[in-house]
């Protein structure tokens, strides 16, 4: 199942380092210039847990039908800095060391085979991901592109309208654009980013990211800066595929919280929760309108292993 790569994405920043400069004695007045840095060859290990639950409701003439799906995974990753450019851009390799996953309806679950996973990221020293590649059998894995005119199946069950793809792609775009500010920051400071993700020919999802320096806390004997990023992405559009009109409407929201150790220059822990509501309607001449609503919620946690 391809969705497992999201687990690696959730810890994309966890091999990086920050520079913190303290100017005042009061915790509320301390300022920090956060920059990701490190040297080639630096390696850290992280453990991640991820759970995804989905409920799909199908409104059809015979009455509503419901389908449930649950996916659970646990894995250990090695994060290695491959290179550091003069401008501070890092190339990072993430390799799954071991893992296990299960899928089912929440009550009846079956184990999935453990598959190797490797990703390479390039990111600025403020955390913006410039490039991400996934490798399979030593080759770069390209995302599957649909040939609309050759597609025989109903649009609503195609890869384009797969709700887990929507969760993956919107979250990926948001996480890749969470970055520290240029200037020094203190507790209470807020900064924003606005990006977008093209999901269908006529649906370009606007994504708003609001990050905040929430507080300083002690975690595992380390003083950590807590950075919370809230993501919001509402959408509504229509696509015409042959004689079928597909309407999409919904909203993606997520909160990502990292615990960053300014002194040692590392992320000690990261947590996230994401929610997606995706309503799709299919209408065509001479046929009743079909409405499908998917509700997804995912939760993840990553910790640094000493």
């Amino acid at each position: 199942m391809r969705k497992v790569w999201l687990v690696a994405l959730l810890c994309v920043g966890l091999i990086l380092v920050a520079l913190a400069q303290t100017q005042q004695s009061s915790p509320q007045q301390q300022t920090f210039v956060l920059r990701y840095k490190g040297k080639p060859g630096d390696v850290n290990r992280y453990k991640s847990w991820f759970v995804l639950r989905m409920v799909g409701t199908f409104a059809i003439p015979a009455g509503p039908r419901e389908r449930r799906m649950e996916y659970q995974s646990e894995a250990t990753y090695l994060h290695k800095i491959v290179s550091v450019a003069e401008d501070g851009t890092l190339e990072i390799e993430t390799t799954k060391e071991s893992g296990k996953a299960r899928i089912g309806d929440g009550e009846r679950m079956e184990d999935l085979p453990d598959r190797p996973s490797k990703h390479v990221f390039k990111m600025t020293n403020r955390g913006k991901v410039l490039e991400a590649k996934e490798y399979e059998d030593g080759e770069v894995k390209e995302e599957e592109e649909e040939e609309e005119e050759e597609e025989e199946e109903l649009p609503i069950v195609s890869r384009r309208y797969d709700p887990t793809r929507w969760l993956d792609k919107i979250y990926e775009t948001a996480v890749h654009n969470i970055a520290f500010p240029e200037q020094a920051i203190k507790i209470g400071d807020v900064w924003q980013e606005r990006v977008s993700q093209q999901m269908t020919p006529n649906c370009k999802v606007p994504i708003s990211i609001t990050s905040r320096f929430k507080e300083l806390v002690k975690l595992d004997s380390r003083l950590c800066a807590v950075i919370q990023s809230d993501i919001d992405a509402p959408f509504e559009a229509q696509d015409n595929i042959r004689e079928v009109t597909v309407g999409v409407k919904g909203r993606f929201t997520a909160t990502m919280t990292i615990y960053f150790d300014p002194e040692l220059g590392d992320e000690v822990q990261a947590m996230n929760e994401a929610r997606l509501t995706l309503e799709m309607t299919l209408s065509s001449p001479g046929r009743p309108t079909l409405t499908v609503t998917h509700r997804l919620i995912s939760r993840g946690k990553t910790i640094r292993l000493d």
Side-chain angles (χ1 to χ4, degrees):
M1 183 176 181
R2 175 188 169 279
K3 312 307 179 303
V4 71
W5 93 269
L6 183 60
V7 182
L9 173 65
L10 302 183
C11 21
V12 62
L14 297 178
I15 41 69
L16 306 172
V17 181
L19 172 65
Q21 296 178 337
T22 303
Q23 305 293 336
Q24 313 255 345
S25 59
S26 170
Q28 289 291 336
Q29 297 302 316
Q30 287 180 314
T31 60
F32 299 82
V33 178
L34 302 180
R35 291 292 182 269
Y36 292 109
K37 43 186 291 194
K39 63 181 184 299
D42 285 352
V43 178
N44 286 308
R45 295 175 69 241
Y46 299 87
K47 188 165 186 177
S48 293
W49 297 265
F50 179 73
V51 176
L52 169 66
R53 296 185 176 94
M54 178 175 71
V55 177
T57 304
F58 301 78
I60 59 178
R65 303 282 181 87
E66 189 174 272
R67 180 172 65 92
R68 293 179 178 270
M69 186 274 285
E70 181 168 328
Y71 173 79
Q72 307 166 357
S73 70
E74 177 181 321
T76 302
Y77 292 91
L78 291 178
H79 292 239
K80 178 182 179 181
I81 296 181
V82 178
S83 65
V84 181
E86 290 185 3
D87 64 358
T89 299
L90 299 102
E91 182 178 2
I92 305 148
E93 180 181 281
T94 300
T95 306
K96 186 167 71 172
E97 192 176 46
S98 63
K100 57 184 179 180
R102 306 175 73 208
I103 192 169
D105 60 9
E107 296 181 359
R108 296 176 298 275
M109 304 291 289
E110 63 179 80
D111 293 333
L112 295 173
D114 186 25
R115 299 178 58 186
S117 172
K118 178 182 174 181
H119 296 80
V120 175
F121 302 92
K122 285 188 178 181
M123 66 192 310
T124 69
N125 59 6
R126 293 195 302 118
K128 181 181 176 66
V129 176
L130 304 175
E131 182 179 81
K133 295 180 180 179
E134 179 181 3
Y135 288 81
E136 190 174 79
D137 298 325
E139 301 290 335
V140 177
K141 184 178 179 180
E142 302 292 343
E143 183 176 1
E144 296 179 6
E145 295 185 4
E146 293 184 9
E147 295 292 339
E148 180 180 310
E149 61 274 12
E150 297 180 3
E151 190 176 321
E152 298 294 336
E153 59 189 350
L154 282 171
I156 206 165
V157 296
S158 70
R159 174 65 179 156
R160 176 183 293 171
Y161 298 102
D162 180 347
T164 58
R165 171 181 172 268
W166 286 63
L167 186 81
D168 281 359
K169 295 298 292 183
I170 298 174
Y171 188 80
E172 172 189 355
T173 300
V175 170
H176 284 185
N177 286 278
I178 295 176
F180 295 130
E182 291 278 5
Q183 71 280 8
I185 58 175
K186 64 183 183 302
I187 293 174
D189 282 353
V190 176
W191 58 100
Q192 293 184 321
E193 297 285 345
R194 296 185 185 276
V195 292
S196 62
Q197 173 63 45
Q198 195 80 40
M199 295 304 302
T200 75
N202 293 324
C203 186
K204 189 174 186 179
V205 179
I207 304 171
S208 175
I209 308 162
T210 302
S211 299
R212 178 166 65 101
F213 188 167
K214 188 177 179 181
E215 58 185 335
L216 287 169
V217 300
K218 274 287 188 73
L219 185 65
D220 296 333
S221 301
R222 297 176 177 177
L223 184 64
C224 296
V226 181
I227 308 297
Q228 178 175 305
S229 297
D230 295 316
I231 303 162
D232 186 37
F235 53 86
E236 184 172 4
Q238 279 191 349
D239 293 312
N240 294 311
I241 302 176
R242 297 182 294 276
E243 296 182 352
V244 180
T245 298
V246 182
V248 291
K249 180 173 65 174
R251 193 178 210 103
F252 172 91
T253 60
T255 296
M256 184 173 185
T257 305
I258 65 170
Y259 292 76
F260 198 93
D261 183 341
E263 182 180 356
L264 296 179
D266 198 3
E267 290 183 21
V268 177
Q269 181 172 284
M271 298 183 294
N272 63 83
E273 178 175 302
R275 296 174 183 266
L276 171 69
T277 299
L278 174 60
E279 179 184 289
M280 296 178 286
T281 57
L282 269 74
S283 58
S284 59
R287 294 184 179 181
T289 298
L290 173 64
T291 301
V292 181
T293 303
H294 293 287
R295 292 180 174 85
L296 294 79
I297 179 170
S298 69
R299 292 186 176 94
K301 181 178 180 179
T302 301
I303 61 171
R304 182 180 183 273
L305 301 175
D306 292 323

